[in-house]
Amino acid sequence: MGSVRLINIGRLYGLTGNNAVKVGNDLAEVATLDNAYLDFSDGRITGFGLMEAIPLDGKLMYDVEGGIVYPSYVDCHTHLVFAKNREDEFVDRINGLTYQEIANRGGGILNSVEKLRNMSEEELYADATARLHSLIRLGTGAIEIKSGYGLNKDAELKMLRVIKRLKENSPIPIKATFLGAHAFPKEYANDHEGYVQNLINEVLPTVVEEGLADYIDAFCEAGYFTVEQTRKVVEAGLKHGLKSRLHVNQFESFGAVQMAAEHQAISVEHLEVMTDADINTLAASNMFGVALPACSFFLKIPYTPSRKLIEAGVPLVLASDYNPGSSPTGNLNFVMSLACIYMQLLPTEALNALTINAANALEIAEDVGSIAIGKRGNVVVCKGIKSINSIPYQFGDNLIDDVFVNGELFTL
Ligand code: NIG
Ligand code: FE
């Protein structure tokens, strides 16, 4: 790997002296440097400064032409490995059915499960790789990916092996989450407890033995996993050394945030329906609150009350929730727009929520999430704009000219 110098950066965003999580008023603070250069060597950030103080050491130059550079996004919640799209259900929803009604008649997650069980590991890997590359081009520089469309041992392991291959072959950091508790497969439609036991006793030990997961997750929701069932999954994960990041409060509030706090989950995610008690519990815990505004947009459900979370001091994170049912996009530029427009975040708050806070939520803040010496050279270049405000403002446009990954221009 060689050395590259980005020159004529009109504004360089996301310089942090430390990797601290941003909360409260600090969430809006993004340190910048105008008229700057940025150096990469051997995949890492090795220097930056004012153009007028540029060292004369003959590096390969890349001209940003007065535009902006910021740290690549970190997407801490995706279902990137999936079988096929679910456009038919999209049309069903336009015709008046709800997400839950579609799920109740065997569609939804179970529709994706049937399709995934019939696909080869090879085909899943090829499709997921293509998706991942398009996300990298859209500015994603680190990502979390869940299982959860297999829902039996073979198919969950198949998904997790695909994620493992992505980890091995992709240029960006990837974290894997075991989401066997995503829904009840039809074989266990009348034996939910049996499914939870199977998951904990038969599937989880192999997942752990093969080193296929970094975290464990469950969809704790009415019609899916109860708080008690989720607790069992979380406790089993902890026994095997896996911390949890949990889908909670998407449609109903029934004690999931409290249970997650008691078990020191890393994060609670979705949070569209939050009581004051839920917010207080979350604020008093060490958990991250992860909002998924593209899911709210696509399903036309409430947005996470993010301003209230920020005021309460919760470390807020934004993610895409990329999946075929509730958020068929992983475009975090659009997520930033939604956060600003529908949740009233400032663009700088959204940027922090998508970079340094998200990196902390994935426990990779020493590696990505800001511009700092020693971190990966994963940055976004937008030559045609002067401020990060343009990203959420000009929604629907792709303003990114280039991305650098590990200090190199990404060309795939
Ligand atoms: O995070 N809420 C549960 N799981 C996904 C949706 C999965 C699907 O519909 O395929 C989500 O929104
Ligand atoms: Fe999700």
Side-chain angles (χ1 to χ4, degrees):
M1 265 184 264
S3 300
V4 180
R5 171 166 296 149
L6 274 50
I7 57 165
N8 297 321
I9 303 172
R11 181 162 289 179
L12 177 61
Y13 285 86
L15 304 144
T16 52
N18 60 42
N19 293 326
V21 175
K22 303 247 180 202
V23 294
N25 292 337
D26 194 35
L27 185 65
E29 298 303 320
V30 176
T32 58
L33 190 65
D34 287 0
N35 198 21
Y37 72 90
L38 174 64
D39 283 350
F40 302 130
S41 275
D42 296 328
R44 301 273 152 184
I45 296 171
T46 48
F48 52 82
L50 292 173
M51 277 303 288
E52 63 204 37
I54 203 161
L56 297 168
D57 52 8
K59 277 184 192 289
L60 184 68
M61 303 283 190
Y62 173 99
D63 193 348
V64 178
E65 297 170 17
I68 69 167
V69 172
Y70 57 94
S72 295
Y73 306 121
V74 176
D75 196 345
C76 77
H77 181 143
T78 84
H79 308 252
L80 181 87
V81 176
F82 58 83
K84 302 287 176 215
N85 72 39
R86 303 212 306 258
E87 288 172 4
D88 296 352
E89 293 179 0
F90 174 58
V91 176
D92 291 340
R93 284 204 299 114
I94 295 168
N95 282 320
L97 289 180
T98 65
Y99 181 73
Q100 284 107 320
E101 283 165 348
I102 291 167
N104 290 342
R105 50 165 216 193
I109 295 170
L110 294 188
N111 178 356
S112 285
V113 169
E114 199 168 313
K115 288 177 172 144
L116 183 131
R117 286 182 182 177
N118 291 323
M119 266 174 86
S120 69
E121 191 176 314
E122 220 42 58
E123 208 182 342
L124 286 168
Y125 175 72
D127 288 358
T129 301
R131 273 178 218 129
L132 184 64
H133 288 170
S134 69
L135 294 188
I136 294 172
R137 289 193 292 273
L138 288 167
T140 299
I143 196 168
E144 180 264 13
I145 309 174
K146 302 173 195 298
S147 70
Y149 290 124
L151 308 189
N152 65 27
K153 188 168 182 175
D154 282 355
E156 282 295 304
L157 291 174
K158 177 168 70 177
M159 280 191 85
L160 289 165
R161 289 186 186 122
V162 169
I163 301 171
K164 188 176 182 195
R165 279 177 69 185
L166 291 169
K167 271 190 186 193
E168 286 162 0
N169 299 326
S170 128
I172 66 170
I174 296 178
K175 292 278 185 162
T177 301
F178 175 48
L179 176 56
H182 197 193
F184 293 99
K186 61 180 187 311
E187 309 85 84
Y188 283 91
N190 299 313
D191 183 14
H192 288 186
E193 281 307 317
Y195 183 66
V196 173
Q197 289 311 315
N198 177 269
L199 198 71
I200 291 172
N201 298 322
E202 303 298 328
V203 189
L204 179 60
T206 309
V207 167
V208 173
E209 266 162 46
E210 294 194 18
L212 293 173
D214 301 298
Y215 301 105
I216 196 162
D217 189 353
F219 186 16
C220 188
E221 192 58 59
Y224 295 85
F225 291 78
T226 64
V227 171
E228 279 319 305
Q229 289 161 343
T230 305
R231 183 196 306 276
K232 287 180 187 160
V233 171
V234 168
E235 288 177 353
L238 284 174
K239 242 201 256 167
H240 288 279
L242 297 182
K243 294 187 245 182
S244 57
R245 32 192 347 111
L246 299 170
H247 284 74
V248 308
N249 291 51
Q250 181 176 2
F251 300 109
E252 286 184 34
S253 161
F254 51 43
V257 176
Q258 289 69 15
M259 188 277 295
E262 281 162 25
H263 291 78
Q264 278 95 42
I266 294 210
S267 58
V268 280
E269 321 208 352
H270 271 291
L271 314 179
E272 289 87 340
V273 178
M274 292 287 278
T275 63
D276 288 344
D278 291 328
I279 294 175
N280 292 338
T281 303
L282 174 50
S285 76
N286 286 323
M287 299 186 295
F288 291 87
V290 181
L292 308 168
C295 172
S296 298
F297 176 79
F298 189 70
L299 295 186
K300 293 200 283 185
I301 62 173
Y303 285 81
T304 302
S306 296
R307 283 253 68 91
K308 280 192 183 176
L309 297 190
I310 295 167
E311 274 158 35
V314 174
L316 185 77
V317 178
L318 293 165
S320 73
D321 196 17
Y322 191 9
N323 76 78
S326 68
S327 176
T329 183
N331 185 341
L332 293 171
N333 305 286
F334 182 57
V335 166
M336 203 192 271
S337 288
L338 294 174
C340 294
I341 297 163
Y342 288 103
M343 306 196 307
Q344 244 185 308
L345 262 64
L346 294 166
T348 50
E349 291 177 317
L351 183 64
N352 277 324
L354 282 165
T355 54
I356 191 65
N357 279 10
N360 276 289
L362 273 191
E363 302 182 295
I364 50 175
E366 75 295 337
D367 199 26
V368 293
S370 67
I371 304 294
I373 305 290
K375 287 203 187 189
R376 279 182 196 245
N378 290 9
V379 303
V380 177
V381 176
C382 305
K383 293 184 182 177
I385 59 179
K386 297 286 175 214
S387 149
I388 194 73
N389 298 347
S390 294
I391 299 281
Y393 169 71
Q394 241 169 292
F395 74 94
D397 273 2
N398 183 1
L399 302 174
I400 297 176
D401 288 288
D402 278 313
V403 299
F404 283 79
V405 175
N406 302 324
E408 289 181 354
L409 195 62
F410 184 75
T411 51
L412 290 175

